[in-house]
Amino acid sequence: MKKMAFLFGINRYSPPLVDLKYARQDAEAVAEVLKKCYEFSDDDVVLATCEQGVRPFTKHNILRCFDPEILRCSEWKEALDLLIVGFWGHGVWRDGKRYLCPMGTMLEHVESLALSLQELRDAIRKIPAKNVCIILDCCQSRIDSRDGEAPALEPRARDIVMQTFAPKKLDLGGETVSQTVAILNSCSEGERAYEWGEKSHGFFTHYLLEAFRRGETRVSEIFTYVQEQTWRSTARLQKNQKPFFECMGKPEIFLPARVGTPPLPPVSVVSLADTPMPDIPEIELPDQTAQTESALLANLEALRKRHSDLHEKYQEVLVDYHETSERALSVARPIVSNGALYFGECEKLRKLYESQIQAMRAEGAREEGPKFQAVQRKLDALLMCPCESEVTRPPTTVEQVCRLMPMLLGSRAGERFEKMIKGVEYAFRWCPAGEFMMGEPGYFGNLWGLIGDVKLHRVALSQGFWMLETQVTQRMWESVMGNNPSEFKGANLPVECVSWNDCVNFCENISELSGLKIQLPTEAQWEYACRAGTTGGYAGKLGSMGWYDSNSGSRTHEVKTKRPNAWGLYDMHGNVWEWCSDWYGADYYDRSPTSDPKGPPSGSSRVNRGGSWGSNAEDCRSANRGSIAPTDSYYNVGFRLLFVPPSS
């Protein structure tokens, strides 16, 4: 099997880039394990680090490593079966281009001194290879454009990487061979790749070495393991590092394991037996006699704060313990005990609210009345919490412990909350409770003369909520539903051709998967989130925020390719219409409640909002209303998700 590996590790940098501690060691460790566990010889590995003699590995010298004359490519009669290229060091994004930073990189001259992905691709393509594995363990920080302005929104970094390294067809002596390319990035766009002092490696490379040392041969299994373990370990330390892996091309890539060589021992881990147990503080018990609503709520708030303090103290400790070890569980048990107390108080509060509802029913109060509905909302919020059995039985893993407490309220408008569901990231933005003017002043109906359709009126939303920052994508839909009904296909395109009933079914399925009560937004919640504090026809300049008939090219576009509104929500204007939970009523605004309106009790069509790629500018207004039968589906109608946190 013909193979080569090019591994670059850079520790030393010029200010303002700081020196790294373990990039060189990472590259050297990967080189060593390729030679010990796989069929790589010394001649098969090109190792270039900042400590190799006096030769500085600048951009020029890195590119020289791929020079055909130096590698004597003319002597190769066949293409390589496997080519591995790895880079450990700093990385940045500027003006839609990603750069790897070799020695001598200065940020003010990054275009000329750093190595762009396109330049790396061109260098790699000088070497014909049937299978290519690219490993990039470097940050993806964004820096300002050359004109000093904040960087403009660009296509997803992940997609740029995939487009750059798209496989090519190889012409080998008249035979055309399809190339397979696998890419593993240590982090996602805008994130840092963290180093792990206790392991003397980066988090990402630590787990890469673990997979290599076990003798794994299937590249997809190696990369998936590294992706999952890195994300889980850094998440416990409240660091945001989510690797991504893509394999382009049909054949699977295998590493050639060295026959007869037993796997190396795993990378050194902290000895649990020798590690002293941390001091476990006493948990302050809330007032067990309190039965009033205000006292119970005060107890819940105290327990939430205690939970936060415990997590802050223990998260760095937990990362060093095997998840199923007894010691890990003993470190986590104070969090579990705190959770049990929390659910005890929740149970008292639930009984209090149920007794209030029973009393109002006995007095003949109407269920649609404001007092009855206020208590019912509080009870619904409690029922959205995780079930009590999750904290009364001992957890089996630390990860389960970390999922026990309910989601807290957001602290500011636009705050971001991420959740992984079936391997797909869902990012939500916080929309705080508040009042706004819904509808438009002086508007007397649309072309069909629906007078009062968007009448201006004041609305109060008593509960804050988390709204998905993008329309639901086809990647999200496929991971949950197992199919893709869309007319325009693409993983990051919004899903369309889905009826209102389909969307409700999706919400039910993803609620079960996530443990959250996810739903479609009400019409009032949608417009409140769309406006994000604005009062005009649009939440900003329509051309820079939305895809509509003047700029869409008569099709959908990938989410997050236009500017978001002030609360970080993308595509609220255009791209696809979005289903809301309400029945549509042309005159509903004349009689709707001023607090938390949910639409008429019945109707023949459901509300949709925001306009689409085929809409004119008027139909993309913040206040514009559309309606479609709940069983119908169209290739310009999609949806987005929302959930109200239990602590509301």
Side-chain angles (χ1 to χ4, degrees):
M1 182 178 187
K2 294 181 179 294
K3 56 203 171 300
M4 284 200 73
F6 294 82
L7 309 174
F8 306 95
I10 310 298
N11 276 356
R12 296 194 320 220
Y13 285 95
S14 303
L17 292 174
V18 299
D19 286 348
L20 298 174
K21 293 181 179 180
Y22 308 118
R24 176 177 63 85
Q25 292 91 317
D26 287 345
E28 291 173 344
V30 171
E32 178 187 8
V33 81
L34 287 178
K35 289 185 279 189
K36 287 188 176 181
C37 293
Y38 301 95
E39 296 178 354
F40 282 79
S41 66
D42 289 340
D43 293 336
D44 293 334
V45 178
V46 176
L47 178 64
T49 72
C50 56
E51 304 299 331
Q52 273 195 313
V54 296
R55 183 182 186 185
F57 275 92
T58 60
K59 169 182 172 178
H60 172 74
N61 285 333
I62 286 179
L63 292 176
R64 275 181 55 99
C65 292
F66 297 95
D67 194 303
E69 294 183 4
I70 294 177
L71 295 170
R72 301 187 300 280
C73 289
S74 58
E75 298 180 8
W76 296 347
K77 304 302 182 184
E78 301 176 355
L80 290 176
D81 295 299
L82 176 63
L83 172 63
I84 298 177
V85 178
F87 182 88
W88 288 262
H90 281 299
V92 297
W93 282 86
R94 170 175 278 175
D95 295 331
K97 291 185 178 181
R98 185 177 176 184
Y99 297 90
L100 310 179
C101 299
M103 295 178 68
T105 299
M106 293 185 290
L107 292 183
E108 60 268 29
H109 302 296
V110 69
E111 296 89 347
S112 57
L113 297 179
L115 180 66
S116 71
L117 288 193
Q118 289 77 9
E119 290 171 319
L120 178 62
R121 174 203 61 198
D122 294 341
I124 290 174
R125 287 184 174 177
K126 292 179 180 178
I127 305 173
K130 299 175 185 176
N131 299 289
V132 180
C133 292
I134 300 170
I135 303 169
L136 302 177
D137 189 358
C138 46
C139 301
Q140 293 203 46
S141 305
R142 293 183 181 272
I143 58 177
D144 288 344
S145 303
R146 284 173 293 180
D147 57 10
E149 296 182 356
L153 290 175
E154 302 144 0
R156 281 169 46 96
R158 177 182 188 140
D159 299 327
I160 293 175
V161 173
M162 292 171 59
Q163 293 165 10
T164 301
F165 291 105
K168 65 174 184 176
K169 298 286 186 180
L170 300 178
D171 185 5
L172 304 176
E175 179 187 0
T176 301
V177 177
S178 297
Q179 190 181 55
T180 301
V181 179
I183 306 171
L184 183 60
N185 278 256
S186 63
C187 60
S188 300
E189 56 187 301
E191 296 178 353
R192 288 179 55 192
Y194 291 95
E195 295 191 307
W196 199 352
E198 294 178 5
K199 310 297 183 186
S200 298
H201 287 295
F203 277 89
F204 169 86
T205 302
H206 168 77
Y207 290 112
L208 182 65
L209 292 171
E210 273 196 352
F212 282 159
R213 286 169 176 259
R214 292 205 308 258
E216 298 282 359
T217 60
R218 191 185 295 269
V219 166
S220 62
E221 291 182 358
I222 294 171
F223 283 7
T224 300
Y225 172 80
V226 175
Q227 181 183 38
E228 293 178 352
Q229 293 299 321
T230 303
W231 179 79
R232 292 170 66 188
S233 291
T234 55
R236 292 191 201 119
L237 291 174
Q238 297 182 337
K239 299 179 186 295
N240 199 28
Q241 182 179 345
K242 297 181 291 300
F244 72 80
F245 160 61
E246 288 289 347
C247 186
M248 297 176 285
K250 293 184 179 179
E252 174 65 283
I253 300 178
F254 291 88
L255 297 182
R258 190 174 293 279
V259 178
T261 302
L264 293 178
V267 178
S268 61
V269 297
V270 177
S271 171
L272 301 182
D274 298 335
T275 305
M277 285 291 292
D279 293 332
I280 299 177
E282 291 294 326
I283 295 181
E284 200 172 308
L285 297 178
D287 182 3
Q288 298 298 306
T289 62
Q291 294 297 329
T292 66
E293 180 180 9
S294 59
L296 289 170
L297 289 173
N299 286 347
L300 287 176
E301 185 58 36
L303 288 166
R304 286 194 199 104
K305 184 178 185 306
R306 171 69 68 176
H307 177 74
S308 176
D309 293 342
L310 287 170
H311 262 289
E312 184 176 351
K313 182 175 181 62
Y314 291 127
Q315 274 187 341
E316 291 199 16
V317 178
L318 292 177
V319 117
D320 292 325
Y321 292 95
H322 296 297
E323 288 195 344
T324 55
S325 75
E326 178 62 27
R327 291 174 64 83
L329 297 180
S330 19
V331 172
R333 280 190 184 113
I335 302 176
V336 180
S337 301
N338 195 76
L341 290 174
Y342 179 90
F343 280 98
E345 299 301 286
C346 283
E347 180 65 13
K348 293 179 185 177
L349 201 55
R350 182 184 66 80
K351 291 179 178 178
L352 176 63
Y353 290 148
E354 287 179 345
S355 65
Q356 291 177 357
I357 287 177
Q358 291 172 359
M360 285 188 286
R361 281 177 175 155
E363 295 172 0
R366 294 185 306 114
E367 291 194 3
E368 60 270 21
K371 290 184 178 180
F372 190 99
Q373 287 296 316
V375 178
Q376 186 64 53
R377 281 196 300 270
K378 295 176 184 179
L379 181 59
D380 290 343
L382 279 178
L383 296 177
M384 287 170 59
C385 295
C387 62
E388 185 178 357
S389 63
E390 292 186 26
V391 293
T392 55
R393 66 174 183 267
T396 56
T397 68
V398 173
E399 185 181 3
Q400 288 180 358
V401 174
C402 296
R403 290 201 302 261
L404 294 179
M405 298 300 284
M407 178 68 198
L408 299 181
L409 292 170
S411 59
R412 56 180 175 78
E415 181 180 352
R416 198 168 190 260
F417 163 63
E418 300 169 3
K419 188 172 183 65
M420 295 293 289
I421 305 172
K422 296 200 73 173
V424 179
E425 179 187 278
Y426 289 71
F428 295 85
R429 298 285 183 167
W430 178 245
C431 303
E435 292 187 356
F436 76 110
M437 296 303 294
M438 188 173 179
E440 286 184 344
Y443 188 76
F444 297 102
N446 56 26
L447 297 178
W448 290 270
L450 298 175
I451 298 175
D453 183 44
V454 289
K455 178 182 177 181
L456 190 68
H457 60 295
R458 183 174 296 279
V459 169
L461 297 177
S462 62
Q463 296 175 287
F465 54 89
W466 295 94
M467 177 171 271
L468 193 66
E469 70 177 13
T470 68
Q471 293 155 341
V472 172
T473 65
Q474 293 171 35
R475 176 181 282 119
M476 295 173 181
W477 181 274
E478 287 182 350
S479 69
V480 174
M481 307 299 286
N483 58 51
N484 187 352
S486 304
E487 175 73 17
F488 304 105
K489 293 293 194 290
N492 296 315
L493 294 175
V495 68
E496 15 87 4
C497 291
V498 287
S499 69
W500 186 89
N501 293 335
D502 294 333
C503 297
V504 170
N505 189 23
F506 178 91
C507 290
E508 291 173 352
N509 289 340
I510 202 169
S511 294
E512 184 176 349
L513 291 169
S514 66
L516 301 169
K517 190 177 179 181
I518 293 177
Q519 58 202 38
L520 295 175
T522 66
E523 187 178 9
Q525 288 171 328
W526 190 97
E527 184 172 331
Y528 178 65
C530 175
R531 290 189 177 281
T534 63
T535 57
Y538 309 94
K541 293 183 178 179
L542 179 60
S544 64
M545 296 184 71
W547 296 107
Y548 63 114
D549 62 356
S550 295
N551 64 3
S552 69
S554 299
R555 59 164 296 126
T556 60
H557 290 261
E558 291 193 355
V559 298
K560 297 180 71 171
T561 53
K562 287 288 187 177
R563 292 187 179 277
N565 68 10
W567 291 354
L569 299 169
Y570 295 84
D571 297 307
M572 297 298 286
H573 301 296
N575 214 4
V576 290
W577 289 92
E578 299 179 20
W579 286 108
C580 293
S581 61
D582 311 43
W583 288 107
Y584 174 77
D587 60 350
Y588 178 67
Y589 285 6
D590 290 332
R591 52 186 173 81
S592 62
T594 58
S595 179
D596 301 314
K598 296 182 179 179
S602 62
S604 59
S605 59
R606 297 283 184 176
V607 172
N608 46 75
R609 288 297 208 112
S612 76
W613 53 266
S615 303
N616 58 32
E618 179 183 345
D619 285 345
C620 295
R621 301 183 327 275
S622 299
N624 187 52
R625 310 174 71 202
S627 63
I628 302 175
T631 55
D632 290 348
S633 60
Y634 300 92
Y635 61 179
N636 61 349
V637 181
F639 68 113
R640 78 175 66 216
L641 307 174
L642 169 151
F643 75 92
V644 179
S647 51
S648 293

